[in-house]
Amino acid sequence: MDLVIRARRAVTGQGEVPATVSVRDGRIAAVQPYDAAVHGADVVELDDDVVLLPGLVDSHVHINEPGHATWEGFASATRAAAAGGITTLVDMPVDSVPATVSVAALAAKRAAAEGRCHVDVGFWGGLIPGGIDAAAALHRAGVLGFKCFLADSGAPDFPPLSPDGLTAAMRALRELDAVLLVHAESDAEIAKRPAARGPSYAGFLNSRPPQVEEAAVAAVIDAARATGARAHIVHLSSATALPLIAAARRDGVRVSAETCPHYLSLAAEQIPDGATEFACCPPIREAANRERLWSGLAAGTLDLVVSDHSPCAAELKHRDTGDFGAAWGGISSLQLALPIVWTEARGRGVPLAEVARWMSERPARLAGLPAKGRIAPGYDADLCVFAPGETFTVRVEDLHHRQPITPYTGRRLHGVVRRTWLRGRDIDPTHPAGRLLTRLEDPS
């Protein structure tokens, strides 16, 4: 074997168990009992205070290169991912220039990423009005699926789909058997509310109440039911939409949903007026809503947890005025996602093996990456050594994000990533070794 890892605690298909994991040619060759007699060129004995996890898969990351590389770039984002135990991420098609809504734009993305990634990177394609033919071409070019908006995206080159456009898009993607990721906020419902302005967080929250998400989720379910397409609700914030999703799934509608670390850890009651580092869309809601999201994860209505890492240039947060109406909506948390979720999970008695399913196995399944997300024979040897009992305080100077503005600064978190392997090799922050993934080929 090229690498043998002995761990008293390893998260495998059997839960958290003692195991010996053997690696050959970048793939997991065997998962055996801890005391198995296995020889390797490199043998690593892990300490008893750490857990061997599958490398995390983050299927919702905004890397703004090309066009807005000063916001975030492939080199900085993937260094941050590796530091946080993430070994695969999927880039969103919006907030770069051009948006990834054509084969030419995908080629520009791949050119910007080539040779600069420290973890493996895949790409979602964008679907905008009139873009069905372009989506078919992007599918042929290897994107992992598609993303659309039902409300203003904030990017002029990425307009939202109308209800009729959503149904037409799903009908086309059903023929391709491609998943559609949907930013589920309703333009019509937003238009009924006063626009957010000024430093009041309560005002910002009232501009996007739960009905905004409920209406959009209902529209997605109706379109998925009518077409038989696969739909996925991204960054669900409002727990009031959970019964809609649960009922649709009982009826056989092909709909799944995700939530994010900020919705699972933060609460509106704790957000000061003017603290625009907390601004995101949909917004962070009240503590009672947060607890219902945790219940949704436990029940399986929510399938996975991903960062929605969405950075911007510092001035776009308008921290000088604290104006939530003007501030860019997005939370930077890529490097911190696992400790944030684990800090909250451990306090609720949720085992680390369940966290790994939410943050590794299920995002890999959504993105159609069959070699990622599990410690099992035949999978890529993407692995993370995690110390769940160790704590640290978030400091801006320790973050690798290009723009390290984050609402977690100063927060005490549980769980430290001590080491990551990508296909059986230590991730070296000075030598990018990540690959660009496509739907068309097995990169391993």
Side-chain angles (χ1 to χ4, degrees):
M1 297 295 169
D2 301 321
L3 172 66
V4 174
I5 304 170
R6 298 188 188 279
R8 292 286 183 186
R9 303 171 65 188
V11 171
T12 72
Q14 287 70 51
E16 188 178 306
V17 296
T20 291
V21 178
S22 302
V23 176
R24 181 188 292 122
D25 296 331
R27 286 266 176 117
I28 296 171
V31 179
Q32 298 170 279
Y34 178 82
D35 56 0
V38 186
H39 301 285
D42 185 14
V43 178
V44 177
E45 298 269 358
L46 296 183
D47 295 336
D48 292 350
D49 65 335
V50 301
V51 183
L52 184 67
L53 298 177
L56 271 60
V57 177
D58 192 337
S59 56
H60 194 147
V61 179
H62 293 262
I63 299 176
N64 313 116
E65 194 173 17
H68 290 140
T70 55
W71 299 12
E72 187 67 283
F74 284 99
S76 54
T78 57
R79 275 196 302 270
I86 297 164
T87 50
T88 302
L89 59 83
V90 188
D91 174 68
M92 280 291 169
V94 66
D95 298 332
S96 57
V97 181
T100 316
V101 295
S102 68
V103 172
L106 175 64
K109 268 281 189 186
R110 292 178 64 88
E114 191 69 49
R116 305 186 67 206
C117 297
H118 299 274
V119 302
D120 286 353
V121 174
F123 302 92
W124 299 116
L127 213 162
I128 61 175
I132 288 176
D133 289 344
L138 277 166
H139 183 73
R140 292 191 295 271
V143 297
L144 302 180
F146 295 89
K147 164 77 177 290
C148 73
F149 284 77
L150 300 185
D152 182 12
S153 71
D157 59 352
F158 210 112
L161 296 180
S162 67
D164 287 344
L166 175 66
T167 301
M170 283 202 188
R171 188 171 291 112
L173 295 188
R174 173 67 180 87
E175 296 303 312
L176 300 175
D177 194 25
V179 65
L180 181 62
L181 283 64
V182 185
H183 181 124
E185 289 187 290
S186 164
D187 245 353
E189 289 294 323
I190 291 172
K192 295 176 183 178
R193 275 78 190 180
R197 56 174 55 89
S200 168
Y201 187 74
F204 177 63
L205 197 58
N206 288 337
S207 73
R208 297 177 110 92
Q211 295 92 327
V212 168
E213 289 187 84
E214 290 171 36
V217 168
V220 173
I221 290 170
D222 287 347
R225 191 189 304 272
T227 62
R230 287 189 292 146
H232 178 76
I233 307 297
V234 298
H235 52 46
L236 186 75
S237 149
S238 177
T240 60
L242 292 174
L244 300 176
I245 297 168
R249 290 169 72 152
R250 286 194 297 271
D251 291 344
V253 178
R254 301 167 77 193
V255 61
S256 55
E258 70 189 32
T259 194
C260 305
H262 38 287
Y263 302 132
L264 295 172
S265 63
L266 304 174
E269 296 92 333
Q270 302 166 343
I271 298 176
D273 286 348
T276 54
E277 63 268 28
F278 291 87
C280 59
C281 297
I284 296 161
R285 304 190 188 277
E286 298 83 359
N289 178 85
R290 177 187 63 198
E291 298 312 308
R292 290 179 64 193
L293 292 177
W294 277 101
S295 296
L297 280 167
T301 308
L302 289 169
D303 299 87
L304 51 103
V305 180
V306 286
S307 70
D308 187 16
H309 177 68
S310 185
C312 66
E315 61 270 18
L316 295 180
K317 277 294 186 182
H318 292 279
R319 293 197 294 176
D320 53 342
T321 64
D323 185 348
F324 277 98
W328 179 267
I331 303 289
S332 292
S333 64
L334 185 63
Q335 185 173 333
L336 302 170
L338 176 57
I340 293 164
V341 175
W342 172 239
T343 298
E344 298 297 321
R346 68 188 295 278
R348 293 170 172 80
V350 177
L352 192 52
E354 189 67 15
V355 172
R357 275 190 287 274
W358 295 334
M359 302 186 76
S360 297
E361 181 177 348
R362 290 177 185 170
R365 187 183 304 164
L366 171 71
L369 298 172
K372 303 292 187 182
R374 293 183 61 198
I375 298 178
Y379 281 71
D380 285 351
D382 299 346
L383 304 163
C384 163
V385 178
F386 186 62
E390 193 173 340
T391 63
F392 69 101
T393 299
V394 178
R395 303 187 312 161
V396 166
E397 54 266 36
D398 295 331
L399 300 178
H400 295 283
H401 311 145
R402 179 69 55 81
Q403 297 286 347
I405 298 169
T406 176
Y408 299 103
T409 300
R411 194 177 179 100
R412 191 80 173 162
L413 298 177
H414 285 264
V416 172
V417 174
R418 293 190 179 170
R419 189 172 184 179
T420 47
W421 287 277
L422 182 66
R423 288 184 300 280
R425 294 183 180 272
D426 281 289
I427 293 180
D428 181 349
T430 66
H431 291 89
R435 296 178 180 175
L436 305 185
L437 308 177
T438 77
R439 185 186 55 81
L440 303 176
E441 59 184 322
D442 183 341
S444 298

